[in-house]
Amino acid sequence: MTDLGWVHEGVKLLLLPVIAVLLAACAAALLEAGLALGERLRGLAALRRSGDADAIEKLARRRLERADLLARVPPMLGLMATIIPLGPGLAALGRGESQALAQAVTVAFDATVLGLAAGIVGLWVGRLRRRWYEELLDDIESAGAAR
């Protein structure tokens, strides 16, 4: 049987980059929530005044893609960062090192929370934006048909 310890060592190296990306995703989620608030308070009215449906559709597509990525990727990364420390934690438990398992489980659960928090914000922002842009485009179409 081949020794696959190198796979385990390689996977362990992923933990810090994944957590760093999770933290960046949480920051991006806060930024997106702030942008969405500004969009709702002022940006949509300016877009409505422009009346350019094609430009609005392009802008909406870009903003919705960002929110959709934010809704999907961080929870996956949270799952990765949950599973990665559990292997060494369970191995430590087998050696009787319960403190190492406790630390691994803490990291795992924290990573899950980070991923879900960023994903929830992305989902929320995406749903709101989708509704806002659909209403805006409907209003523009109605105004164009009334002319």
Side-chain angles (χ1 to χ4, degrees):
M1 192 157 218
T2 20
D3 180 26
L4 295 177
W6 62 272
V7 173
H8 173 69
E9 293 304 317
V11 168
K12 280 191 337 188
L13 293 175
L14 290 174
L15 183 60
L16 286 178
V18 167
I19 288 177
V21 173
L22 276 172
L23 291 171
C26 287
L30 289 175
L31 178 65
E32 280 298 312
L35 290 172
L37 180 62
E39 195 173 8
R40 181 65 178 163
L41 295 176
R42 299 187 75 173
L44 293 174
L47 290 172
R48 181 174 279 114
R49 284 190 301 274
S50 80
D52 187 353
D54 290 335
I56 292 170
E57 282 183 36
K58 287 178 186 175
L59 179 65
R61 196 173 312 117
R62 268 198 330 268
R63 289 180 176 172
L64 289 170
E65 284 174 1
R66 266 195 338 244
D68 288 346
L69 278 173
L70 198 55
R72 288 181 175 92
V73 173
M76 287 187 259
L77 292 173
L79 179 59
M80 279 181 68
T82 300
I83 294 170
I84 292 169
L86 289 181
L90 292 173
L93 180 64
R95 294 187 304 271
E97 301 169 12
S98 59
Q99 185 59 33
L101 175 62
Q103 183 179 357
V105 168
T106 301
V107 169
F109 288 160
D110 290 347
T112 302
V113 170
L114 289 174
L116 290 174
I120 288 168
V121 172
L123 180 64
W124 176 68
V125 167
R127 294 289 180 203
L128 287 175
R129 279 184 172 153
R130 195 164 273 109
R131 187 179 74 220
W132 295 342
Y133 283 111
E134 286 173 359
E135 289 172 358
L136 178 60
L137 289 169
D138 287 345
D139 290 350
I140 290 172
E141 279 182 25
S142 297
R147 290 182 194 180

